[in-house]
Amino acid sequence: MEKKFYKPRTVFLGGNGNTKRIGIGGDEKVSVQTMWKESILNLTSDSLDDIVRRINILESLGCDILRFAVPDMESADSLIKIAAATSMPLVADIHFDYRLALKCLDGNVAAIRINPGNIGSRERVEAVVNACKDKGAAIRIGVNTGSLPSDLAKQVEEGTISRAEALAETAAREVAVFDELNFEPVVVSMKASSVQETIDANEVFASKYDIPLHVGVTEAGPLITGIVKSTLAFSTLLKEGIGSTIRVSLSSTPENEVITGREILHECGKRNGGVNIVSCPRCGRVGFDVHGFVNRWQNRLLAMDKNITVAVMGCVVNGPGEGKHADIGIAGAGDKAIIFKKGKIVRTIKAEDADKVFGEELESL
């Protein structure tokens, strides 16, 4: 039987003060998120400047939304300062202490991520909801396999329901609380470390609700493992129209999370444009330091506002042929390098001048 899923309604983040307004769901593009991975305690003017610089890099790579862990009041104060210094919508990740959410909402924070089950009483949840209403902020309900209610956890243990069904039911219960409080700007995430459980939970929920879904595989692992798991889960769900915003969780840098998310969306047909980098894996015929060149140029290329394909090849014999579809490419042998466009060699240069000349040719496109 054909699976049927609701088209998600639109929830907006930001739009207040200097913050950009981002739509999640509806006909909006699928947005890319990441999470800041360092403490924001002891914030100074210099460290604030460095954070803003990195946020700008993340944005240039394709990041739309950035989440910060807020474990204490000092972190809340720091996040308020960061939010005032950047236009990117920021999300405060809150656990246990609802007062941290209220404090963050004194600033220009675009959304609060909470698990109502660990915030405490209904009165505390209602206090957060009312503060979000006053500030025009959204809420993301975050549910994962480690935070299932005891009755559902018992049913999973007994085998009467699956873990994915328990995730979806947990999210449904939390949503009911916000419905009773007449609060609509809600995004839901149901994350498991299992690819199939993540897929199943999101499919179950999307078959019943029109609430935008934040999709992610939690604790996906180191770079390679995490990319594989996230790609499998995201590609399946995105092709079904499930997933309004994504976060690739990696034991790696936020930059790598953003680049991975961006590439998954591109390959799934959910994000067009930008620079497409193709490069050979390198072999015994290598005549050019492909890996080093890609490492030096990747972020700069991905940040460019150009719809082009760039090829970085290790062999001058096969390079222009294998990369003939590229708008621009580079390959080398010995102490020489070549620049080619659409498969035709346009310049032969010294290897030591490769970066300089490649940059000049790139700018001329």
Side-chain angles (χ1 to χ4, degrees), residues 225-239:
T225 305
I227 289 175
V228 170
K229 289 182 178 180
S230 297
T231 301
L232 288 171
F234 293 7
S235 59
T236 298
L237 291 169
L238 289 168
K239 288 176 182 177

Side-chain angles (χ1 to χ4, degrees), residues 218-254:
T218 191
E219 299 164 351
L223 188 65
I224 295 174
T225 305
I227 289 175
V228 170
K229 289 182 178 180
S230 297
T231 301
L232 288 171
F234 293 7
S235 59
T236 298
L237 291 169
L238 289 168
K239 288 176 182 177
E240 295 177 327
I242 299 174
S244 298
T245 182
I246 64 171
R247 189 257 171 127
V248 179
S249 297
L250 301 173
S251 298
S252 185
T253 65

Side-chain angles (χ1 to χ4, degrees), residues 179-194:
D179 285 343
E180 292 171 5
L181 295 173
N182 194 32
F183 187 79
E184 288 193 357
V186 169
V187 177
V188 166
S189 68
M190 295 158 292
K191 297 184 178 182
S193 56
S194 159

Side-chain angles (χ1 to χ4, degrees), residues 178-221:
F178 290 94
D179 285 343
E180 292 171 5
L181 295 173
N182 194 32
F183 187 79
E184 288 193 357
V186 169
V187 177
V188 166
S189 68
M190 295 158 292
K191 297 184 178 182
S193 56
S194 159
V195 170
Q196 195 58 53
E197 286 177 355
T198 299
I199 293 170
D200 292 345
N202 282 274
E203 287 182 341
V204 169
F205 191 89
S207 70
K208 299 177 180 178
Y209 298 93
D210 69 344
I211 296 173
L213 290 173
H214 167 125
V215 175
V217 179
T218 191
E219 299 164 351

Side-chain angles (χ1 to χ4, degrees), residues 77-98:
D77 285 331
S78 295
L79 184 57
I80 289 172
K81 294 175 183 176
I82 296 167
T86 179
S87 63
M88 183 180 289
L90 305 185
V91 179
D93 192 281
I94 307 295
H95 286 277
F96 307 115
D97 191 347
Y98 79 106

